[in-house]
Amino acid sequence: MGQRAPRRRGATRAALLAATMTASLAVGCTAHHGGSVDDGRGHGPSQSPTQSPSAGGTVAPAAGPLLAVKIDNVPAARPQTGLDSADIVYAEQVEGGLSRLMAVFATKFPKSVGPVRSARVSDLELLRQFDDPTLAFSGAQHKLLPLIAKAPLRSASPDEVSSAYYRGVDKSAPHNLYLHPNKLLPSAPGAAALTTGFHYGAAPTGGKPTASRSVRYPAARFTFTWSGSKHRWLVTEDGTPTVLTNGKRVAPATVVVQYVKIRKSKYHDVLGNNTPYTETVGTGKADVLRDGRTYTVDWKRQKATDGTQFTTADGQPMNFAKGQVWVVFAKS
């Protein structure tokens, strides 16, 4: 395995990553990238959100790119590590009706995160809303690799930054690949890197009292149960409470069930199962869960470089609660 820095479209290797390329670990890489090619598409806009998800106040411009990590989410991969530090967790349907997560880190980095797994084609559209993000993933099928190389992001697979990854001893491969975020980026960039269009603040009037909400994929199930004492939604997956390796229960402040088109892509896994494509550009409905209530809202993302706007029936931005947000993509 070579010691290559994450590839950045249309740019030389990032100096902030060069210092991490000092060791090579045998991490069982799944794929190798070719050279990066500029296809003429611009990066996402360098937006600065007006509110911090953690503090609710104004924030300074982002100090650098945020980190997105593809997280294994089959039962054999649990308990996971580092999810509680993510600002946003996206849940998507993958082959065989299973689920996979993308954890987005901007305000703080955990010591380690994982298990890390492979990227999917719809991840590229989802990530266009961020300015030059770093994507950590275990690899991808060979037909997808040229698209990743062309995408406006910093590719950081084990083949490219081997020293940032390690194999844990608590699980068997392929469910034991972990990442040290501080070996990819020197520090978390801050809330301004979260160019998602999300708004944070007081809840609107109305909403339906909600004790629990479930979202089902063909072979996976998420349940979010409101805890008044914690003022958070407790996550349960496939009937089992979601608890991390540090013993903490995963408990976001806001859960978004976003109804989207999920169609077949031209890609398949090694077993021949089709890879679903989750369309995150467009318009539709969503249910926002916060403060023990459900708010039915509209969502709009006009183009890939935009964040997603969530609005109430009167056209006002839907405020999220301060803290972690889970976005679960459900078939419309």
Side-chain angles (χ1 to χ4, degrees), residues 187-198:
S187 62
L194 295 169
T195 51
T196 55
F198 295 175

Side-chain angles (χ1 to χ4, degrees), residues 2-16:
Q3 298 179 351
R4 291 171 296 278
R7 300 187 188 278
R8 179 180 180 183
R9 188 175 71 89
T12 59
R13 295 175 180 174
L16 60 86

Side-chain angles (χ1 to χ4, degrees), residues 235-256:
V235 181
T236 298
E237 296 174 285
D238 304 323
T240 302
T242 305
V243 178
L244 303 180
T245 51
N246 61 7
K248 292 184 179 180
R249 185 77 182 269
V250 177
T254 304
V255 177
V256 181

Side-chain angles (χ1 to χ4, degrees), residues 18 42 81 88 102 156 182 195 255 276 295 312:
T81 299
I88 307 167
M102 179 186 287
N182 63 0
T195 51
V255 177
Y295 300 84
T312 59

Side-chain angles (χ1 to χ4, degrees), residues 215-284:
V215 179
R216 294 178 180 270
Y217 292 165
R221 182 173 85 251
F222 297 91
T223 300
F224 303 93
T225 303
W226 178 248
S227 169
S229 61
K230 295 182 180 296
H231 213 72
R232 292 289 186 270
W233 297 93
L234 304 181
V235 181
T236 298
E237 296 174 285
D238 304 323
T240 302
T242 305
V243 178
L244 303 180
T245 51
N246 61 7
K248 292 184 179 180
R249 185 77 182 269
V250 177
T254 304
V255 177
V256 181
V257 181
Q258 185 176 344
Y259 295 99
V260 298
K261 294 179 181 179
I262 302 177
R263 57 174 172 82
K264 291 183 177 180
S265 74
K266 66 179 181 180
Y267 301 98
H268 296 77
D269 67 11
V270 294
L271 299 177
N273 297 311
N274 185 265
T275 300
Y277 190 99
T278 300
E279 296 187 8
T280 56
V281 173
T283 59

Side-chain angles (χ1 to χ4, degrees):
M1 221 181 300
Q3 298 179 351
R4 291 171 296 278
R7 300 187 188 278
R8 179 180 180 183
R9 188 175 71 89
T12 59
R13 295 175 180 174
L16 60 86
L17 296 172
T20 71
M21 312 312 297
T22 59
S24 177
L25 302 179
V27 295
C29 305
T30 60
H32 177 69
H33 283 41
S36 182
V37 178
D38 190 334
D39 64 354
R41 294 179 296 172
H43 289 242
S46 298
Q47 307 172 37
S48 292
T50 57
Q51 292 183 319
S52 163
S54 58
T58 57
V59 293
L66 57 70
L67 174 64
V69 185
K70 291 295 297 187
I71 305 292
D72 199 351
N73 200 41
V74 298
R78 304 172 195 149
Q80 294 136 328
T81 299
L83 272 183
D84 52 331
S85 295
D87 296 283
I88 307 167
V89 177
Y90 291 102
E92 64 179 343
Q93 182 180 325
V94 293
E95 298 86 358
L98 295 168
S99 66
R100 188 155 292 179
L101 307 178
M102 179 186 287
V104 175
F105 301 89
T107 58
K108 61 180 177 180
F109 288 159
K111 182 178 179 181
S112 63
V113 61
V116 181
R117 288 302 298 272
S118 55
R120 294 295 183 272
V121 60
S122 51
D123 297 337
L124 304 183
E125 179 176 280
L126 181 61
L127 287 171
R128 288 291 303 281
Q129 66 191 296
F130 302 115
D131 186 19
D132 198 27
T134 295
L135 174 61
F137 61 109
S138 66
Q141 56 180 276
H142 290 287
K143 292 182 180 179
L144 180 56
L145 293 178
L147 294 183
I148 296 175
K150 293 177 181 179
L153 54 80
R154 299 169 185 251
S155 173
S157 71
D159 270 359
E160 296 161 319
V161 198
S162 62
S163 62
Y165 291 87
Y166 69 97
R167 289 282 178 184
V169 298
D170 58 334
K171 302 178 182 72
S172 59
H175 312 294
N176 63 350
L177 180 64
Y178 294 86
L179 170 74
H180 287 304
N182 63 0
K183 292 192 176 183
L184 286 182
L185 299 169
S187 62
L194 295 169
T195 51
T196 55
F198 295 175
H199 285 255
Y200 298 82
T205 58
K208 179 181 178 181
T210 303
S212 182
R213 174 65 185 273
S214 292
V215 179
R216 294 178 180 270
Y217 292 165
R221 182 173 85 251
F222 297 91
T223 300
F224 303 93
T225 303
W226 178 248
S227 169
S229 61
K230 295 182 180 296
H231 213 72
R232 292 289 186 270
W233 297 93
L234 304 181
V235 181
T236 298
E237 296 174 285
D238 304 323
T240 302
T242 305
V243 178
L244 303 180
T245 51
N246 61 7
K248 292 184 179 180
R249 185 77 182 269
V250 177
T254 304
V255 177
V256 181
V257 181
Q258 185 176 344
Y259 295 99
V260 298
K261 294 179 181 179
I262 302 177
R263 57 174 172 82
K264 291 183 177 180
S265 74
K266 66 179 181 180
Y267 301 98
H268 296 77
D269 67 11
V270 294
L271 299 177
N273 297 311
N274 185 265
T275 300
Y277 190 99
T278 300
E279 296 187 8
T280 56
V281 173
T283 59
K285 294 289 186 179
D287 290 330
V288 176
L289 283 62
R290 61 163 296 176
D291 303 330
R293 308 182 78 86
T294 298
Y295 300 84
T296 298
V297 302
D298 296 305
W299 70 266
K300 178 175 68 175
R301 187 180 175 201
Q302 291 184 319
K303 56 184 184 295
T305 51
D306 290 341
T308 305
Q309 300 176 21
F310 294 91
T311 53
T312 59
D314 59 1
Q316 296 300 308
M318 175 66 208
N319 286 335
F320 295 173
K322 300 172 187 176
Q324 186 179 82
V325 178
W326 272 56
V327 179
V328 183
F329 295 120
K331 190 172 184 178
S332 59

